[in-house]
Amino acid sequence: MTSSPHDTTTAARLLIVGPQGSGKGTQGERIADAFGIPAISTGDLFRAAIAADSDLGAQVKAVIEAGDLVSDELTFEVVRERLEDAGGGFLLDGFPRNLSQVELLDDYLAERDEPLTGVIELGVPRAVSIERLTERARQQGRTDDTEEVIANRLAIYERETAPILEVYGRRGLVDTVDGVGSIDAITGRILEALQRRGIAPRAAA
Ligand code: AMP
């Protein structure tokens, strides 16, 4: 670890959480870039595996197309592999997605003695999520962006993912950021919230 006497910032070990269509993928990448840390998106990793026709892709394709969740074990295997290489911080997007995944991540990070330092919740009204997802379906033709699958994914979010915010909230880790506005404005809000926690991108030397 390199740290100087002037280095008082907290390491960026972050989660970004929000319903489908909240813009968490876009914001996650921007925040990760600002900190020079990897954005680890389980959805992107799965989609890449499907596109590459890999064994993993074959295992997850049908589940993803139905908008259901991949098994916790398989998902965590993919995440752990990425975290192993992420010594200087990370931003997780799309994981953990339920309470058992919270436990898997807790155990892993406790072993490393590197707890999470911040959880960003991107808040958007349901109608805005649906509008954005429908637009993305039109532009990108994602097979899990059909109306029926979108409804399933949002229901899973409310049932399984929203409760993880209560757990992290009790630990005092959550900042809820308004996810409606320009992309730049939302990035600014997230950076401000992190700054208040002492998590700031390193100034150029
Ligand atoms: P996303 O791009 O984050 O919406 O993820 C797309 C799809 O990948 C989800 O609808 C799930 O089928 C799968 N997926 C992504 N992350 C996870 C996770 N943490 N646990 C289980 N399945 C996941």
Side-chain angles (χ1 to χ4, degrees), residues 20 24 41-44 46-47 63-64 67-72 75 93-97 101 136 142 144 153:
Q20 288 71 22
K24 70 184 167 55
S41 157
T42 40
D44 282 353
F46 289 143
R47 280 185 288 277
V63 177
I64 288 186
D68 291 327
L69 293 187
V70 175
S71 77
D72 296 335
T75 304
D93 161 8
F95 181 94
R97 201 100 154 193
Q101 294 183 5
R136 187 170 74 187
R142 255 177 68 165
D144 60 351
R153 293 163 72 215

Side-chain angles (χ1 to χ4, degrees), residues 112-126:
R112 278 171 54 154
D113 202 15
E114 289 182 341
L116 290 175
T117 51
V119 176
I120 301 294
E121 176 193 13
L122 265 187
V124 291
R126 199 188 162 95

Side-chain angles (χ1 to χ4, degrees), residues 32-178:
D33 277 354
F35 284 93
I37 55 177
I40 303 172
S41 157
T42 40
D44 282 353
L45 291 168
F46 289 143
R47 280 185 288 277
I50 293 170
D53 257 334
S54 67
D55 283 351
L56 173 66
Q59 284 181 77
V60 301
K61 190 167 190 288
V63 177
I64 288 186
E65 286 185 350
D68 291 327
L69 293 187
V70 175
S71 77
D72 296 335
E73 293 70 25
L74 187 55
T75 304
F76 188 59
E77 218 176 285
V78 170
V79 171
R80 190 174 47 204
E81 198 180 305
R82 298 297 156 133
L83 284 175
E84 305 275 306
D85 302 329
F90 54 80
L91 179 141
L92 284 168
D93 161 8
F95 181 94
R97 201 100 154 193
N98 58 29
L99 293 172
S100 25
Q101 294 183 5
V102 168
E103 248 178 67
L104 289 168
L105 182 64
D106 275 349
D107 291 350
Y108 174 81
L109 292 178
E111 248 173 57
R112 278 171 54 154
D113 202 15
E114 289 182 341
L116 290 175
T117 51
V119 176
I120 301 294
E121 176 193 13
L122 265 187
V124 291
R126 199 188 162 95
V128 174
S129 277
I130 292 177
E131 201 180 294
R132 289 182 183 170
L133 287 169
T134 313
E135 178 62 16
R136 187 170 74 187
R138 214 177 47 75
Q139 288 179 355
Q140 302 178 0
R142 255 177 68 165
T143 48
D144 60 351
D145 273 350
T146 65
E147 206 176 314
E148 194 187 341
V149 177
I150 288 171
N152 186 31
R153 293 163 72 215
L154 286 173
I156 292 178
Y157 179 81
E158 278 154 25
R159 192 176 66 236
E160 303 209 24
T161 308
I164 80 172
L165 289 165
E166 282 167 36
V167 172
Y168 290 127
R170 282 197 290 274
R171 297 182 196 171
L173 284 174
V174 178
D175 288 300
T176 301
V177 171
D178 178 3

